[in-house]
Amino acid sequence: METTMTDSGASYSRQGQVQVHFITNFPDIELPEGKRQLLVPTNVRRYGLSQILNSESMLGTPAPIPFDFLINGTFLRTTLEEYLTANGLSSETTLNLQYVRSLIPPLYEASFEHDDWVSCVDILSRSSVAGIWDGSEVIAGQERILSGSYDGLLRVWNKSGQSIATSASSSAGGHTSSIKSARFISPTQIASSGLDRTIRVWKYTEAEDHFSAELKPILELYGHKGSIDSIDVHGPSNRILSASADGTIGLWTTLKNSAPPASAELLTSGPSAKRRKIATSTSTPQRGPLSTIKSHTSPITAAIFNPLDATVAYSASQDHTVRTFDLTTSSLVDTRTTSHPLLALTALPGISSQLLAAGTSARHITLLDPRISAQSTQVMTLRGHTNKIVSIAPDPESNYGLVSGSHDGTCRVWDLRSSRHGTKDEGGGLVGEAVYVVERESAKGGKRPVGGEGIKVFGVQWNKDVGIVSGGEDKMVQVNRGRGVTRPDTT
């Protein structure tokens, strides 16, 4: 039966109405069959629709549940009337409204202070790839946060903000300059890289009480002639992938007996050579790359393993391109050219197929379909940052969420279902807007500089068990809630 719904708590006009069909994927909040189709005022927004659903004649919830609504996979951010107009639909149309519990803001939880800028972060937990690869489950409460800093040191933290391990100084086998990237390979192994043009592999050992730990250098890798700004790791194959300002990609093994010798020329020149001559007390093995790939024409800012196939790599460069490589043959497979220098890259599961998200110097994120058969290079553009985007991480609990870190001093959470048609000035196409903006807690109370001066974000990661972790120019590692941000948390 067709019903006209005007909630007693709202004064809606009866002049404009549209028929809607309420649907949900959550059985506990599903309407009975006879109540799903309604006539509702066209001037209602999300809040009004939420009131209607919660009313006694509908769900009759004891306490109101905030809802979000999707039409054709996109969040409703306007009135129904504005949606109909924007999509060229008449009020005679029946709209399928999918409702979900409202998303939870990524609330601030904690900050850990450093002596210098924090360039990168990573997370070890039972749900992180390093925790899963190892097979030995990380115990709840013993999750770890890894940070790399411009002071050349790595630090490992517990969730309470205690620094339980700090890497060796340059005189004891550590980095001789700023660290730019660091990753957990396993619960007992870490890789890091930086301005000293080296990758270092560390053995990580915790004390029995888990309140202290040791980071011991076990391998130094040489092969790049410029800063190594990004690394990715694949634990099962003991591989490391590196992106360098020298325009090359490096593929390395963490097994010293399988690694080629390091180039004598690189060992006797460059920023680490002087330290090696002085510090003869350290005897860390030194090795070279399995292969180096020269393809890009400008500095490479990111290189990642394809999460679905570790023999495939994707890279992003200041030469405006994203490239696909076959690592078994070190050959270029595909090149996608964009309009701007690219500074960050991550792979997303995507709603129907894998996507690549690339952060640009032009303040937006470009979403690309890496499949050679793809007709269009660019799938969507995410807009909202006011400075360049230097770090991106996927949502661990959904196929359509991601978080980005920018020099504007914010992290932004995006949901690919929250999109609109771009304006002429934006070049048309699909445009996504952030569903949440995560500010730096260190700047709270003051006005955030448009360019992010003093609070630039350099690195961000998102983990199911720990949350959204970011580091930056404010010398802080910041932790924000990550569950329920793009997917309703029913736990």
Side-chain angles (χ1 to χ4, degrees), residues 60 92 106 122 161 163 188 200 268 280 350 416 431:
E92 301 298 316
D122 197 23
S163 176
T188 58
R200 291 168 197 260
T268 55
T280 54
L416 302 189
V431 171

Side-chain angles (χ1 to χ4, degrees), residues 40-88:
V40 300
T42 54
N43 62 352
V44 332
R45 295 176 177 269
R46 182 196 67 81
Y47 179 70
L49 289 167
S50 206
Q51 280 186 306
I52 290 170
L53 266 183
N54 279 289
S55 66
E56 192 175 341
S57 60
M58 296 291 278
L59 287 173
T61 50
I65 300 171
F67 289 110
D68 276 307
F69 298 86
L70 296 101
I71 307 177
N72 293 329
T74 300
F75 279 109
L76 178 68
R77 299 301 187 202
T78 62
T79 65
L80 290 176
E81 187 169 12
E82 288 167 333
Y83 176 85
L84 291 170
T85 303
N87 289 274

